[in-house]
C-alpha cells in the first residue's frame, strides 16, 4: 500500500540545520501560513545515531501536516565526529538542548519560527529514541509522548507519566512488548496488516501510513484537533490497518 505526500496545509516540508542549535536537524513546513500555529515534536533516532536524515521520509511527511520536528543528529559530516555509530546521541541533553533552544526562538517576528508555539511541545522517537522519549516523562514542558518500537513495563516509570502517551509497534516487531501497565491517556497501536518489522516502515515512500498517523496523534494531543481525535476514537486508524487499545482518550482536550 503506498501513500502520496499529503498536503492538507498546501505547504511542502523541508529540512535544514540551524547554526544556533548544533548537532540537530529541523523539519517543518516550507513557508507556513502566518495564521498556522506549529506545535513542536522532539525526535530521537533508532540506535541513537547522529544522522539527522536517518528518518527523512517519515519526518518530512509528518512535518507537512503543520508540525515542527527537531531531530537529534546532523546533516553535514563533521570531521572526527561520526554520525552513524550507536549511542552517538544517547545523552538526554540532545532533547533538553532542543527544548531550551526552541523556547528562545519560537514566536520571533520576521523569522521562520514566527508561527511556532513552544508550549505545544512533545517528545518522540524510535527504538533507542523511544527510550529517550519515555525518559522525558517528568519534563514539565513536554505535553505529549509518542514512542515507536519501544514500550516499558517499568511500573515506576509508568507512575511518572501524566501526559498522553502513544505506542506505535510493527505487526512483526518481536523486539519489544506492548506495555501491560496502566497509563493515563494511553494509546497502543500495533500495525495489523502492514507487515512491519522493527524499523523498515520508516524508509517507505513518504513515511507511509505511520507518518500520517503520527501527525494525527500530534495534532490531537498538542492542538486538540477534533478531526485528528476522531481518527483514533472512530474507525479511521482501524481502516488504515492499526489494531488499537486505548484508555481515557476522552480526557485529552479537543477544540470545539
Amino acid at each position: 500500500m503506498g501513500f502520496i505526500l499529503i498536503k492538507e496545509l498546501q505547504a511542502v516540508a523541508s529540512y535544514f540545520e540551524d547554526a544556533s542549535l548544533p548537532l540537530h536537524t529541523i523539519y517543518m513546513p516550507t513557508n507556513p501560513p502566518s495564521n498556522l500555529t506549529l506545535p513542536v515534536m522532539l525526535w530521537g533516532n533508532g540506535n541513537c545515531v547522529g544522522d539527522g536524515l536517518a528518518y527523512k521520509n517519515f519526518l518530512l511527511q509528518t512535518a507537512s501536516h503543520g508540525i515542527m520536528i527537531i531531530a537529534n543528529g546532523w546533516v553535514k559530516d563533521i570531521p572526527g565526529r561520526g554520525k552513524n555509530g550507536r549511542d552517538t546521541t544517547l545523552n538526554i541533553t540532545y532533547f533538553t538542548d532542543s527544548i531550551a533552544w526552541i523556547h528562545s526562538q519560537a514566536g520571533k517576528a520576521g523569522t521562520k519560527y514566527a508561527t511556532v508555539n513552544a508550549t505545544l511541545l512533545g517528545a518522540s522517537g524510535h527504538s533507542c529514541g523511544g527510550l529517550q522519549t519515555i525518559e522525558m516523562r517528568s519534563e514539565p514542558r513536554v505535553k505529549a509522548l509518542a514512542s515507536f518500537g519501544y514500550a516499558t513495563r517499568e511500573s515506576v516509570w509508568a507512575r511518572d507519566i501524566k501526559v498522553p502517551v502513544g505506542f506505535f509497534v510493527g505487526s512483526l516487531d518481536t523486539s519489544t512488548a506492548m506495555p501491560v501497565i496502566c497509563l493515563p491517556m494511553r494509546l497502543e497501536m500495533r500495525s495489523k496488516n502492514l507487515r512491519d518489522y522493527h524499523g523498515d516502515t520508516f524508509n517507505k515512500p513518504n513515511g507511509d501510513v505511520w507518518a500520517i498517523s503520527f501527525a494525527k496523534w500530534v495534532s490531537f494531543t498538542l492542538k486538540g484537533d477534533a478531526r485528528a481525535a476522531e481518527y483514533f476514537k472512530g474507525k479511521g486508524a482501524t481502516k488504515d490497518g492499526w489494531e488499537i487499545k486505548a484508555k481515557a482518550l476522552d480526557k485529552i482536550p479537543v477544540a470545539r
Side-chain angles (χ1 to χ4, degrees):
M1 184 183 300
F3 291 83
I4 62 172
L5 182 65
I6 290 183
K7 300 179 183 177
E8 294 178 350
L9 305 168
Q10 302 302 309
V12 176
S14 56
Y15 64 85
F16 57 91
E17 294 178 294
D18 189 307
S20 63
L21 182 65
L23 308 182
H24 293 77
T25 304
I26 298 166
Y27 295 78
M28 62 183 294
T30 305
N31 300 319
S34 60
N35 62 346
L36 175 66
T37 299
L38 302 183
V40 182
M41 287 300 288
L42 312 179
W43 177 263
N45 300 317
N47 284 329
C48 289
V49 298
D51 185 359
L53 303 183
Y55 293 78
K56 180 179 69 174
N57 294 341
F58 175 78
L59 296 180
L60 281 173
Q61 169 71 290
T62 305
S64 77
H65 290 253
I67 300 164
M68 179 187 193
I69 301 165
I70 307 175
N72 296 343
W74 49 98
V75 176
K76 300 175 183 177
D77 290 331
I78 301 175
R81 193 174 192 127
K83 62 181 181 180
N84 292 313
R86 292 178 64 95
D87 297 342
T88 302
T89 57
L90 177 62
N91 196 307
I92 204 63
T93 57
Y94 280 90
F95 270 14
T96 55
D97 285 350
S98 294
I99 295 176
W101 177 82
I102 193 55
H103 273 272
S104 71
Q105 300 294 323
K108 283 188 175 181
T111 73
K112 64 183 67 178
Y113 312 123
T115 64
V116 175
N117 186 339
T119 67
L120 305 178
L121 185 143
S124 59
H126 172 233
S127 194
C128 182
L131 168 62
Q132 291 178 306
T133 297
I134 302 303
E135 287 183 337
M136 298 301 290
R137 64 193 180 278
S138 299
E139 167 55 61
R141 294 168 293 184
V142 171
K143 308 302 183 185
L145 303 171
S147 178
F148 292 79
Y150 179 86
T152 176
R153 295 177 183 271
E154 296 288 343
S155 59
V156 175
W157 289 19
R159 286 196 296 268
D160 292 340
I161 298 176
K162 309 299 182 185
V163 299
V165 54
F167 296 103
F168 300 79
V169 180
S171 60
L172 303 178
D173 189 350
T174 59
S175 64
T176 184
M178 296 299 284
V180 296
I181 52 182
C182 292
L183 294 168
M185 298 174 285
R186 180 185 77 245
L187 175 73
E188 302 174 15
M189 295 181 66
R190 182 179 289 275
S191 58
K192 185 168 55 176
N193 59 359
L194 303 176
R195 296 190 62 79
D196 292 296
Y197 290 90
H198 186 57
D200 59 326
T201 185
F202 294 105
N203 289 319
K204 291 180 179 179
N206 300 317
D208 210 81
V209 69
W210 286 62
I212 297 171
S213 301
F214 178 35
K216 291 183 183 296
W217 178 247
V218 176
S219 295
F220 172 26
T221 57
L222 292 182
K223 298 188 69 174
D225 183 272
R227 286 198 304 168
E230 185 57 28
Y231 176 79
F232 300 103
K233 296 178 182 180
K235 298 180 179 180
T238 301
K239 289 180 179 179
D240 276 348
W242 292 103
E243 180 180 354
I244 296 179
K245 296 179 181 179
K247 177 184 178 182
L249 295 187
D250 287 335
K251 292 184 179 180
I252 303 173
V254 173
R256 301 297 181 184

